[in-house]
Amino acid sequence: MLTALATLGLVGLGGVVTSHEAGMAVPDWPTSYGYNMFALPMRFWKGGIFYEHTHRLWATLVGLLVVLLTRWLGGFESRRPLALIGGAEVLAGIAVFLFRPELKATGHFLTGIGGVVLMAALIWTRKGSSQPGLCKMGWLAFFLVQLQGLLGGLRVVLFKDHIGILHGTLAQIFFVLLCLIAVRTGWWWEQTGLRMPLVDPVNLRRWAFLVTALIFCQLLLGASMRHQHAGLAIRDFPLAYGKIWPATDSESLARYNSQRVETTVSNPITAFEIRLQMAHRAGALLVLIAVAGFLRSARGQGVFKGVLVLSGLVLLQATLGAATVWTNKAADVATGHVLVGALSLVTGAVLCMILPCGSLRSPQSTVVPVESGPAH
Amino acid sequence: MKLKSSLVCAAGILTLTQVLSAADITGTVTLKGTPPAEKTIDPLKADPTCGKFHTENPTTHFYTVGAGGELADAIVMLKGVTGKSTGAAAQPQVIDQKGCLYSPQIVAVQTGQKILVKNSDPVLHNVHTTPTAAGNSEQNQAQMPASPDLSISFSAPENFLKFKCDVHPWMFAWVTVVDSPYFAVTGKDGKFTIKDVPPGKYTVTALHRKASPAGLDKQIEVTSSGASADFTIELK
Ligand SMILES: [Cu+2]
């Protein structure tokens, strides 16, 4: 639970960093301005550096929590694999130092995280491992968090916006995974949660998957838009450049760009970006329709409240999306849009997870977890 | 001995005639149409450190236009002239960071010409170049107050190559890299002079980051008395 909350904070911070276009404010990694990340003097903590640096520190905290979580979920049996992985990472890190000195940033990262993993292996726990499903989710989180950290760092040192998109998307998937773990380990799962009267679980499940998949597509589009550094490609809503579907020929583009005066973004907009945003708008409409359908078929059933929450979030999300355009992408509105997007995805994924079993099975039986709704 | 001296003499006359016949291209760039209003850079004024360097709210300078439409910050260059760069021997171009803004914001240099980036501010900036042409590499270097100038150069021609500072997300400069010495940036009067162009037929192009990023072309012939080329960029 704690880990999930911390991750939400991290996704939020990631959103803050990109909203402020501050992703590259700290040019080196894993060091910050040559300092060890934890010893960066306060005089550096200004402007964009503040956002990016807080993001990094917080990410480290999440990483630590996830490693502990894996240890806890994996119980006694996780000691050996953790020790092996930790050891291997430290060795790999040292090998990188020795043979590929130009990649020494990655070496630092590997030895650091390997050390943490080794330490986790040393913690004594008598607890047996959790259900195999949960245990697997723990391991998945364990690998994802490391991959995520590596991607975040490589984005900074390799100057690749594509890695940034991947980093943003993986963050969402990772957050969903942690929330699913939190739900599975919480009191709610053990007790009442699953004894809901469901008339037609198969139909509801279909709806849940559809909505979650649509939301995930929206998040993908959103992440790509955030990493184009072009700000808003279309500045009016509900119309687009005064039309339902805007013109994207080169002459119109030149006209749009010549009329743009932007203070903190700089890339000229392209036809691709306009289409991207139009797709995002159309997608939002689809999500809204799908959620309405979901809500209708869930009426009077055990999950109705959950679906109601999802609908509320989606509606809020659509409003925030429109507000992002109307406020000319005010940083806090845009960050809120990222956060509520993540929450909507999680709610959808949780619904996916609880629906297949519904009232048909008891919580103790092994349930094949839906590891991440979006994958479907 | 006689032969040698006459050879030297002939060579001297040859270079002399070349220099003499090389001439300037002059002209004015005018903007037709109403540009959008400049915006105040609010995050700069709101920044606790950088805001103090400005008594008034600083604005963007995308269109610097005179009363008669004279357009500053347009880059005029000979199109398709490559491999003539004398950048390695040219004076370095200085870009300063002052008041948490790049100055100047529109710059043109030759390939291989040094760009010296200064930090006149008592705050840290990071100088982040984001080229897109193959052959120019992206760099991101931190520059502390009072630290030595950063020296940067590019080997491939590229229009409006962006410099930015990620600490202060409103800080940008756009550097156009030309593979010859035949270019100029218009002043506040919209005027430009491209110096010492050898006689011949050329395509001259006028680029403005906002109004004509792709360039407005014009065919001219440079004779021993030079040539003139006036451009009118139309905003639609
Ligand atoms: Cu700066």
Side-chain angles (χ1 to χ4, degrees):
Chain A
M1 191 66 202
L2 181 68
T3 315
L5 268 181
T7 309
L8 180 64
L10 186 62
V11 173
L13 272 174
V16 170
V17 169
T18 44
S19 297
H20 286 96
E21 297 276 337
M24 303 292 281
V26 183
D28 48 346
W29 174 84
T31 49
S32 290
Y33 288 104
Y35 287 88
N36 180 301
M37 190 169 108
F38 305 104
L40 186 72
M42 281 313 278
R43 70 192 152 91
F44 283 97
W45 289 53
K46 283 173 191 149
I49 304 176
F50 176 80
Y51 300 121
E52 170 67 4
H53 194 65
T54 315
H55 180 76
R56 290 186 187 186
L57 286 180
W58 200 305
T60 314
L61 177 72
V62 171
L64 275 177
L65 286 173
V66 167
V67 172
L68 287 178
L69 181 77
T70 313
R71 179 76 174 126
W72 178 60
L73 289 176
F76 185 68
E77 295 92 326
S78 69
R79 159 170 280 186
R80 262 211 15 198
L82 276 179
L84 282 177
I85 294 170
E89 280 174 345
V90 172
L91 286 179
I94 294 172
V96 168
F97 278 128
L98 288 179
F99 301 111
R100 301 292 298 273
E102 74 274 15
L103 297 176
K104 71 173 188 293
T106 312
H108 275 295
F109 177 75
L110 277 175
T111 40
I113 200 157
V116 170
V117 173
L118 267 181
M119 302 257 268
L122 290 177
I123 301 172
W124 182 254
T125 172
R126 233 175 250 269
K127 184 179 163 295
S129 66
S130 312
Q131 302 162 20
L134 256 181
C135 198
K136 261 187 221 152
M137 286 160 87
W139 280 107
L140 190 61
F142 174 77
F143 288 115
L144 279 186
V145 82
Q146 302 194 20
L147 181 63
Q148 180 67 347
L150 191 63
L151 283 179
L154 290 181
R155 192 260 167 273
V156 172
V157 292
L158 296 180
F159 304 114
K160 290 278 184 290
D161 280 337
H162 299 295
I163 301 186
I165 298 175
L166 200 58
H167 186 68
T169 311
L170 198 57
Q172 305 275 2
I173 297 178
F174 176 68
F175 176 54
V176 167
L177 179 65
L178 282 181
C179 287
L180 293 184
I181 294 178
V183 170
R184 285 284 302 264
T185 53
W187 56 268
W188 187 79
W189 185 263
E190 305 281 326
Q191 293 171 15
T192 53
L194 296 177
R195 311 228 164 76
M196 299 174 298
L198 292 175
V199 183
D200 188 1
V202 178
N203 182 35
L204 283 181
R205 189 184 159 188
R206 270 196 206 124
W207 275 114
F209 272 113
L210 176 70
V211 170
T212 311
L214 282 176
I215 295 178
F216 185 68
C217 291
Q218 283 293 84
L219 288 180
L220 281 182
L221 288 174
S224 331
M225 285 160 68
R226 294 181 77 72
H227 288 88
Q228 306 284 346
H229 308 290
L232 285 171
I234 311 171
R235 316 209 137 179
D236 48 345
F237 182 84
L239 290 178
Y241 289 104
K243 291 184 190 161
I244 297 201
W245 198 271
T248 51
D249 57 294
S250 57
E251 201 166 298
S252 305
L253 276 175
R255 194 176 67 237
Y256 301 154
N257 277 315
S258 70
Q259 293 298 331
R260 281 162 65 91
V261 175
E262 59 289 278
T263 51
T264 57
V265 288
S266 50
N267 290 358
I269 53 166
T270 60
F272 174 70
E273 281 147 21
I274 292 181
R275 292 198 190 107
L276 207 59
Q277 196 185 118
M278 289 312 288
H280 195 61
R281 290 178 179 198
L285 199 63
L286 280 181
V287 171
L288 283 173
I289 294 170
V291 162
F294 192 11
L295 199 63
R296 228 185 99 192
S297 47
R299 203 160 41 182
Q301 303 200 41
V303 284
F304 186 65
K305 268 189 201 159
V307 183
L308 207 60
V309 170
L310 180 63
S311 318
L313 281 171
V314 165
L315 214 58
L316 176 64
Q317 179 66 349
T319 316
L320 279 173
T324 305
V325 176
W326 290 327
T327 60
N328 192 15
K329 207 176 164 213
D332 40 355
V333 179
T335 309
H337 191 60
V338 172
L339 273 183
V340 177
L343 284 176
S344 316
L345 181 68
V346 161
T347 314
V350 168
L351 284 173
C352 285
M353 185 173 73
I354 60 177
L355 272 171
C357 32
S359 56
L360 305 173
R361 295 191 203 170
S362 76
Q364 269 69 37
S365 67
T366 331
V367 177
V368 182
V370 182
E371 290 185 14
S372 53
H376 296 266
Chain B
M1 187 65 203
K2 207 172 186 182
L3 184 72
K4 201 175 166 189
S5 63
S6 61
L7 263 180
V8 168
C9 193
I13 288 165
L14 206 66
T15 38
L16 197 68
T17 47
Q18 255 177 354
V19 169
L20 277 179
S21 60
D24 298 350
I25 305 172
T26 54
T28 313
V29 180
T30 322
L31 185 75
K32 201 173 148 194
T34 319
E38 300 293 334
K39 278 201 182 127
T40 54
I41 309 175
D42 297 331
L44 166 52
K45 195 65 189 142
D47 188 277
T49 355
C50 297
K52 281 187 224 141
F53 306 143
H54 299 270
T55 46
E56 288 154 49
N57 206 344
T59 67
T60 53
H61 289 99
F62 290 167
Y63 288 95
T64 307
V65 189
E70 302 88 350
L71 183 63
D73 289 336
I75 291 146
V76 186
M77 62 165 99
L78 295 190
K79 214 170 176 176
V81 179
T82 54
K84 295 270 190 281
S85 174
T86 56
Q91 280 282 319
Q93 165 74 46
V94 174
I95 299 179
D96 198 358
Q97 298 168 99
K98 204 167 181 193
C100 297
L101 287 168
Y102 279 109
S103 164
Q105 285 169 13
I106 299 286
V107 160
V109 296
Q110 295 189 56
T111 47
Q113 185 179 355
K114 260 190 199 167
I115 302 166
L116 291 180
V117 184
K118 280 186 184 308
N119 183 0
S120 300
D121 281 335
V123 297
L124 169 140
H125 294 293
N126 76 302
V127 180
H128 183 177
T129 65
T130 61
T132 52
N136 292 338
S137 59
E138 185 163 352
Q139 292 178 48
N140 188 3
Q141 301 177 66
Q143 194 177 23
M144 303 288 290
S147 60
D149 299 348
L150 297 173
S151 175
I152 297 171
S153 65
F154 298 96
S155 49
E158 182 169 344
N159 294 342
F160 303 115
L161 189 165
K162 180 175 70 186
F163 278 45
K164 62 177 191 164
C165 167
D166 304 276
V167 183
H168 309 112
W170 56 84
M171 274 179 79
F172 299 108
W174 288 275
V175 177
T176 297
V177 186
V178 188
D179 203 18
S180 84
Y182 308 125
F183 60 87
V185 182
T186 56
K188 286 221 164 102
D189 52 2
K191 289 202 162 80
F192 68 90
T193 304
I194 304 176
K195 287 206 150 89
D196 301 332
V197 184
K201 285 185 176 161
Y202 299 100
T203 305
V204 203
T205 187
L207 303 119
H208 184 268
R209 195 178 83 83
K210 281 282 167 183
S212 74
L216 182 64
D217 292 355
K218 196 152 224 170
Q219 313 296 327
I220 57 157
E221 183 165 5
V222 177
T223 60
S224 56
S225 58
S228 76
D230 293 328
F231 294 88
T232 304
I233 296 175
E234 214 170 317
L235 270 184
K236 283 177 199 130

